[in-house]
Amino acid sequence: MAAEDDVRRICLALPGVTERPSWNRPAWFARSLMARIWEDGVLTVKPDEREAVTGTDPDTYFWTPHHDRSPQLVLVRLERIGVEELAELLEDSFLLAGGRR
């Protein structure tokens, strides 16, 4: 099970990523937003294909009507994924947010 501390550790280990508040929540930025705590236990990320990700496990990956206008964003229930899966999601999100290795 992943947690906010895991998100922070993984994000800040990526080159050039910074942490700052966004909508009064912790958020991590490469060139643009790559991840944000949406609410306790729920993380916003940018996957390659939102519909494909949410279709695999809608109890874990989802979006709200608020996210309809942001087709790259998906919400993830952290308690339902492991740290390894979290790292993969964050690395993809990092690249989509303009990060460079």
Side-chain angles (χ1 to χ4, degrees):
M1 175 171 90
E4 184 177 326
D5 288 341
D6 298 312
V7 174
R8 178 171 286 108
R9 178 181 49 76
I10 294 165
C11 285
L12 294 177
L14 294 165
V17 172
T18 59
E19 179 178 348
R20 63 181 185 266
S22 175
W23 297 94
N24 295 317
R25 292 290 192 162
W28 296 269
F29 294 80
R31 291 181 149 257
S32 64
L33 176 73
M34 64 170 277
R36 171 180 31 231
I37 299 296
W38 177 252
E39 59 188 42
D40 291 344
V42 178
L43 178 69
T44 306
V45 294
K46 293 180 176 179
D48 275 331
E49 296 181 27
R50 176 165 76 171
E51 287 79 12
V53 170
T54 57
T56 62
D57 186 356
D59 291 331
T60 301
Y61 303 100
F62 65 103
W63 71 85
T64 67
H66 171 84
H67 297 92
D68 283 340
R69 65 176 188 252
S70 302
Q72 273 195 315
L73 298 179
V74 69
L75 299 170
V76 182
R77 288 185 176 91
L78 292 172
E79 68 184 19
R80 297 183 55 91
I81 64 170
V83 174
E84 189 173 305
E85 186 174 354
L86 174 64
E88 290 174 16
L89 287 168
L90 290 171
E91 288 169 15
D92 289 346
S93 192
F94 167 75
L95 295 172
L96 288 167
R100 296 198 176 117
R101 296 217 172 263

